[in-house]
Amino acid sequence: MTLADPSRLPLTRGETPAQKTAQAGQRIRDPRLDFFRGIVMFIILIAHTPGNWLTLWIPARFGFSDATEVFVFCSGMASAIAFGAVFRDQGLSMGAARVAFRCWQVYWAHIALFFAIAGTMVFLNSTELFQRDYVGQLNLYPFFNRPEENLLGLLTLTYVPNYFDILPMYLVVLAMMPLVVACHRAHPALAAALIVGVWLGAQVDVLALPAEPWSERHWFFNPFGWQLVFFTGFAFMAGWIPPPPRHKLLVIVTGVIVLVIIPLAYFRVTRQLPEVREWRKEYNVLINKSDFGVLRYVHFLALAYLCWIAVGEAGRRILPPQTGGVLAEGWRRILAVIMKVGQQSLAVFITSMFTARLLGVALDTLGRNSLFNQIIVNLAGFTVLIGVAYGVGWFKSQPWRKKAVR
């Protein structure tokens, strides 16, 4: 696979980075996109494993934004690459059809994930080998107590239990894409107004979706708030927004933002300082995760800028040198694995959500107080994700189409 940055490819008048990527063929990928998506997939597995010691050290502990923002932002960038050429070359209607097909895939991935996890939790309870109630741990009894009503709710996305709410959010944001593209074609300011206006509607609780028929609870991940970070990534990769300048002053400003936010977010500080806890309570709307508060956006943009600077132009600082010793070869192999995981993000994400529950069961059985157990369980989970990424990549390569070697 050729690793290249779309911004480094030849540009014709009016052409965007996403268009260059599409014209160059599917073999051209931005190494930064795959690298960060791969890292996020491992973090998501850690974060969703109950009682995982490593959750104390994931980025979410030190800032308002977390791996979810990276996942959604990178998904927006990837969507600009995947769908941008269709919108450009075949028009809005065909672009909308392409997006609808992706929504169809994500929808059934969500349904399958729910039943896979719910069925597994029922099986674990039925064995009577475990003291923990795994169905109750995920609050799935409401579904099983009223299956007729909640099955319909599950299929219509009016029943979206916590833990199963990321893919529905992503699905709705994807469905907004044709409208945003159409508005941008009419006028860029119209697309910006739509995106910001929808986000503001989420902040004042005007735009939200019901999560269950028997209460007023809304989707934990409000897609009308989270679409802001998705379309920010989309706009950067589509060329709607120019890349920020590489300037020392911006590095200092964004670095200060990240550092100032740490004591406001780090649980060991908030636990000791009642003033910080009171501030967080009073200004929760600014850091609210469900509706994607503005300070989460500011923190993410600052962190993203620092990472963008750190990896260098076209990701040159993460790419191993063409010639080198054992360390360079070792990093080359590690980087290849990370990027493979990033390239198969949907399949890996679904696997991680399922695997995380089983890793939690493993920690329940082996014990969480042993560092050895924690390391072994996490490594086992990472191995599963890597295996799935390579397996899905192999199937996508359609090896059965290749001529057999005689």
Side-chain angles (χ1 to χ4, degrees), residues 142-195:
F143 176 81
F144 291 110
N145 290 338
R146 305 170 69 177
E148 297 88 352
E149 177 181 355
N150 291 320
L151 178 59
L152 179 61
L154 179 71
L155 295 175
T156 58
L157 299 181
T158 54
Y159 171 63
V160 180
N162 288 335
Y163 193 82
F164 299 95
D165 38 24
I166 295 182
L167 287 180
M169 174 266 287
Y170 179 49
L171 194 157
V172 173
V173 174
L174 278 177
M176 290 180 59
M177 193 190 308
L179 178 59
V180 171
V181 172
C183 288
H184 187 270
R185 287 191 173 186
H187 197 284
L190 184 59
L194 173 65
I195 293 167

Side-chain angles (χ1 to χ4, degrees), residues 145-292:
N145 290 338
R146 305 170 69 177
E148 297 88 352
E149 177 181 355
N150 291 320
L151 178 59
L152 179 61
L154 179 71
L155 295 175
T156 58
L157 299 181
T158 54
Y159 171 63
V160 180
N162 288 335
Y163 193 82
F164 299 95
D165 38 24
I166 295 182
L167 287 180
M169 174 266 287
Y170 179 49
L171 194 157
V172 173
V173 174
L174 278 177
M176 290 180 59
M177 193 190 308
L179 178 59
V180 171
V181 172
C183 288
H184 187 270
R185 287 191 173 186
H187 197 284
L190 184 59
L194 173 65
I195 293 167
V196 175
V198 169
W199 175 79
L200 288 173
Q203 305 312 298
V204 297
D205 294 328
V206 172
L207 295 176
L209 295 171
E212 53 198 21
W214 61 85
S215 78
E216 296 182 357
R217 185 175 69 86
H218 295 144
W219 289 15
F220 180 79
F221 288 102
N222 186 343
F224 304 115
W226 280 85
Q227 52 85 29
L228 177 64
V229 70
F230 176 92
F231 285 114
T232 301
F234 186 96
F236 272 120
M237 187 57 75
W240 297 357
I241 301 175
R246 296 177 179 272
H247 197 282
K248 184 181 296 185
L249 179 61
L250 274 178
V251 173
I252 294 173
V253 170
T254 52
V256 169
I257 290 173
V258 170
L259 292 175
V260 166
I261 286 176
I262 290 176
L264 299 175
Y266 189 43
F267 73 98
R268 297 189 190 277
V269 175
T270 59
R271 190 167 56 190
Q272 298 296 326
L273 299 179
E275 296 83 4
V276 175
R277 293 198 303 273
E278 192 62 31
W279 180 89
R280 288 176 61 92
K281 183 178 179 181
E282 184 175 356
Y283 294 99
N284 180 63
V285 66
L286 302 179
I287 60 176
N288 183 272
K289 186 170 185 175
S290 291
D291 296 324
F292 191 57

Side-chain angles (χ1 to χ4, degrees), residues 32-342:
R32 296 165 295 185
L33 181 58
D34 291 336
F35 175 76
F36 285 112
R37 284 204 299 181
I39 294 295
V40 164
M41 289 300 105
F42 292 112
I43 295 175
I44 287 175
L45 176 68
I46 292 170
H48 287 88
T49 300
N52 193 342
W53 175 77
L54 285 179
T55 58
L56 297 176
W57 303 102
I58 60 177
R61 297 292 170 263
F62 305 97
F64 296 143
S65 66
D66 56 34
T68 312
E69 278 84 356
V70 184
F71 176 73
V72 177
F73 179 82
C74 289
S75 295
M77 297 181 72
S79 294
I81 296 174
F83 307 122
V86 181
F87 279 109
R88 184 195 74 234
D89 298 336
Q90 302 186 47
L92 280 172
S93 59
M94 194 59 68
R98 177 68 181 87
V99 171
F101 178 68
R102 185 57 169 174
C103 288
W104 177 257
Q105 293 175 314
V106 173
Y107 171 81
W108 287 112
H110 165 67
I111 299 299
L113 177 64
F114 176 85
F115 281 115
I117 292 180
T120 302
M121 298 304 103
V122 170
F123 169 75
L124 292 173
N125 276 10
S126 69
T127 64
E128 300 183 352
L129 297 175
F130 307 96
Q131 295 181 346
R132 189 179 296 276
D133 178 1
Y134 292 108
V135 174
Q137 188 181 48
L138 283 176
N139 192 30
L140 294 178
Y141 280 116
F143 176 81
F144 291 110
N145 290 338
R146 305 170 69 177
E148 297 88 352
E149 177 181 355
N150 291 320
L151 178 59
L152 179 61
L154 179 71
L155 295 175
T156 58
L157 299 181
T158 54
Y159 171 63
V160 180
N162 288 335
Y163 193 82
F164 299 95
D165 38 24
I166 295 182
L167 287 180
M169 174 266 287
Y170 179 49
L171 194 157
V172 173
V173 174
L174 278 177
M176 290 180 59
M177 193 190 308
L179 178 59
V180 171
V181 172
C183 288
H184 187 270
R185 287 191 173 186
H187 197 284
L190 184 59
L194 173 65
I195 293 167
V196 175
V198 169
W199 175 79
L200 288 173
Q203 305 312 298
V204 297
D205 294 328
V206 172
L207 295 176
L209 295 171
E212 53 198 21
W214 61 85
S215 78
E216 296 182 357
R217 185 175 69 86
H218 295 144
W219 289 15
F220 180 79
F221 288 102
N222 186 343
F224 304 115
W226 280 85
Q227 52 85 29
L228 177 64
V229 70
F230 176 92
F231 285 114
T232 301
F234 186 96
F236 272 120
M237 187 57 75
W240 297 357
I241 301 175
R246 296 177 179 272
H247 197 282
K248 184 181 296 185
L249 179 61
L250 274 178
V251 173
I252 294 173
V253 170
T254 52
V256 169
I257 290 173
V258 170
L259 292 175
V260 166
I261 286 176
I262 290 176
L264 299 175
Y266 189 43
F267 73 98
R268 297 189 190 277
V269 175
T270 59
R271 190 167 56 190
Q272 298 296 326
L273 299 179
E275 296 83 4
V276 175
R277 293 198 303 273
E278 192 62 31
W279 180 89
R280 288 176 61 92
K281 183 178 179 181
E282 184 175 356
Y283 294 99
N284 180 63
V285 66
L286 302 179
I287 60 176
N288 183 272
K289 186 170 185 175
S290 291
D291 296 324
F292 191 57
V294 65
L295 288 185
R296 295 184 68 90
Y297 190 51
V298 170
H299 178 260
F300 169 75
L301 290 180
L303 200 57
Y305 180 79
L306 292 175
C307 290
W308 182 67
I309 292 293
V311 300
E313 293 184 12
R316 60 182 176 82
R317 293 196 183 101
I318 60 175
L319 298 177
Q322 295 298 319
T323 59
V326 176
L327 290 179
E329 181 60 26
W331 174 241
R332 189 187 312 277
R333 292 176 182 273
I334 293 172
L335 181 64
V337 169
I338 293 172
M339 295 180 66
K340 178 63 72 172
V341 170

Side-chain angles (χ1 to χ4, degrees), residues 354-367:
F354 181 82
T355 303
R357 307 316 300 181
L358 299 182
L359 297 184
V361 175
L363 289 174
D364 287 338
T365 304
L366 299 174

